[in-house]
Amino acid sequence: MADALRIAITRRDVEEWFGPDEVVRHDLPGIAHEPTRRFLAEVGLPRRAALIGFEPDAEPDPGRDGRIVLGAYGSLRTADQAVLLDGATGRVFAEERYGDPALMSVDVSTLVRNCALVEAIRPGRGPVRTAEELIDLLGETEPELNPGHSFWHTSFALWQLRRAALPGDGLAVRITPAMLDLVYENEFSGYEERQLPAAITHEPTRRFLLDVGLIDAWAYLDMRSDGKPLPTLAELAAERRADWDDEPEPPADAEHLVVLGYVSEDGDLLVDGRTGVVRRWNTGGDEPFLDTLDTDLSTLAFTMWVIGRMHRQGERFGIGIHDVWESIAVDLLSSVDPLAWAEPGGYWEDMILDGINGLGP
């Protein structure tokens, strides 16, 4: 029949994809499109998949052109955006903060199939399915989608990056100069042994600075690249206090905190020489304070790599930067470096969610 769903999916299929306890059937008599109503009642939807939480409303929403809210998508600290079903046609739309809702899936069968594909690649393990393969599949089954503004094109292109989050040797993530060069083209450079103070006793951190190093400047982070030995915060604060009367007293452990550079307008970028944790001595407000930027230098570099690769993937596949881009960035980075996202209002949250310096949407 002309209005049949595009893909044949059974109850057994969705239970195998998401688990029997994670699939819910919904009786929604307000849906006029019979194949859609039958699919939701007999096959069902996952509770949560591909950053979408499914909790369908029983009745159409007059404030959304009579569409039915199927649920919402979003991640840690990103605003939930509604997933909407046109009850007359069966088409599914993704609501966004700016502009009209964009076509998300041609029907609920492709919606659920796409959710399953994302959940298969999102953990970053298991069989490899390339972005090209998955995006070609979209072209075959849903040619109506606009790749530049598609929830699924964006998801298939970006979730692949999680595969790179492999455990490091003494640091959280394995990251190499060759990996960084793919995005930053030799902009990262290592330090010389003479530049590293004795305060850096954490051997993996010391090795990372020698073998991989840091980029000179990136997104309001300006590294010390004058070739001089890196000072401790205690040493730098003493120099400043000799010149400036209003320089605040450094924190108690300042002799163990090594100054890598500056966080523009905020203070100093530090690494704890004992643990490798990346900190910020924030002097941009009324009261100075220490906060945490990253678990270690590997997750700092990995964050830079992910953001760079996300933009490259966008260029490669003609993908625009929109709300799902933001949600994936936050979910991916917070899963790899939860310490950096532990507290609201952290550095990366501001950088990505506020779109500072081209990092976010």
Side-chain angles (χ1 to χ4, degrees):
M1 55 191 287
D3 60 351
L5 301 184
R6 196 155 292 182
I7 302 173
I9 294 176
T10 67
R11 177 183 298 200
R12 177 176 293 181
D13 290 332
V14 297
E15 289 183 348
E16 288 180 354
W17 293 340
F18 306 107
D21 294 336
E22 295 302 312
V23 178
V24 181
R25 279 95 202 176
H26 304 276
D27 182 14
L28 301 176
I31 297 175
H33 191 252
E34 176 61 26
T36 298
R37 185 170 68 250
R38 190 166 58 249
F39 183 96
L40 293 176
E42 297 176 3
V43 179
L45 296 172
R47 297 181 189 276
R48 184 169 180 84
L51 299 183
I52 306 167
F54 288 103
E55 295 183 25
D57 290 346
E59 298 295 333
D61 186 342
R64 291 183 166 96
D65 297 326
R67 292 169 175 159
I68 291 173
V69 176
L70 285 184
Y73 71 90
S75 186
L76 175 74
R77 303 191 192 106
T78 62
D80 285 340
Q81 306 299 328
V83 175
L84 306 173
L85 171 70
D86 186 319
T89 66
R91 293 203 164 198
V92 181
F93 297 83
E95 197 170 58
E96 298 183 5
R97 285 168 294 180
Y98 309 109
D100 296 330
L103 181 65
M104 186 179 198
S105 293
V106 296
D107 61 33
V108 288
S109 73
T110 57
L111 172 73
V112 171
R113 186 278 308 271
N114 293 343
C115 282
L117 292 174
V118 168
E119 287 305 301
I121 64 172
R122 182 169 165 249
R125 302 293 179 266
V128 175
R129 298 197 71 174
T130 67
E132 289 86 351
E133 176 188 354
L134 295 172
I135 287 174
D136 284 347
L137 181 61
L138 287 176
E140 295 169 4
T141 57
E142 298 184 89
E144 298 92 336
L145 297 182
N146 172 11
H149 212 76
S150 160
F151 187 99
W152 305 113
H153 286 77
T154 303
S155 296
F156 293 159
L158 301 187
W159 281 120
Q160 306 289 340
L161 302 179
R162 182 172 264 169
R163 299 190 72 85
L166 300 175
D169 181 13
L171 297 176
V173 182
R174 175 184 175 272
I175 194 159
T176 65
M179 183 177 167
L180 292 166
D181 287 347
L182 289 174
V183 179
Y184 294 106
E185 300 173 353
N186 302 310
E187 293 183 54
F188 276 75
S189 58
Y191 291 81
E192 297 179 19
E193 182 67 50
R194 64 175 182 80
Q195 293 177 266
L196 304 186
I200 302 179
T201 57
H202 189 251
E203 185 55 35
T205 295
R206 197 173 191 93
R207 188 167 63 247
F208 186 95
L209 288 169
L210 292 171
D211 296 344
V212 179
L214 296 170
I215 199 169
D216 280 351
W218 190 85
Y220 286 12
L221 299 180
D222 295 309
M223 306 305 174
R224 297 178 71 93
S225 56
D226 55 9
K228 297 179 181 179
L230 297 174
T232 65
L233 183 59
E235 292 168 342
L236 186 60
E239 290 179 15
R240 290 172 174 168
R241 289 176 68 83
D243 295 329
W244 305 325
D245 293 337
D246 60 350
E247 176 67 18
E249 286 281 354
D253 288 348
E255 70 275 13
H256 300 290
L257 302 174
V258 177
V259 182
L260 299 176
Y262 307 96
V263 185
S264 296
E265 300 181 1
D266 281 341
D268 298 292
L269 178 69
L270 315 169
V271 64
D272 189 317
R274 301 161 297 181
T275 65
V277 174
V278 179
R279 311 290 300 275
R280 171 175 58 171
W281 174 231
N282 194 321
T283 56
D286 294 334
E287 293 293 333
F289 63 91
L290 270 176
D291 63 356
T292 299
L293 263 66
D294 294 277
T295 295
D296 56 36
L297 292 175
S298 75
T299 57
L300 171 64
F302 183 77
T303 297
M304 296 178 180
W305 180 83
V306 165
I307 296 299
R309 281 296 306 273
M310 289 181 78
H311 283 283
R312 291 285 185 93
Q313 289 289 78
E315 294 170 359
R316 179 181 178 189
F317 294 108
I319 292 168
I321 297 176
H322 48 106
D323 285 358
V324 69
W325 191 102
E326 177 183 276
S327 294
I328 292 171
V330 171
D331 190 83
L332 196 162
L333 292 172
S334 62
S335 68
V336 173
D337 191 0
L339 185 63
W341 293 82
E343 298 294 332
Y347 177 78
W348 293 114
E349 179 178 337
D350 289 344
M351 294 296 289
I352 292 172
L353 301 191
D354 291 344
I356 296 175
N357 211 36
L359 293 197

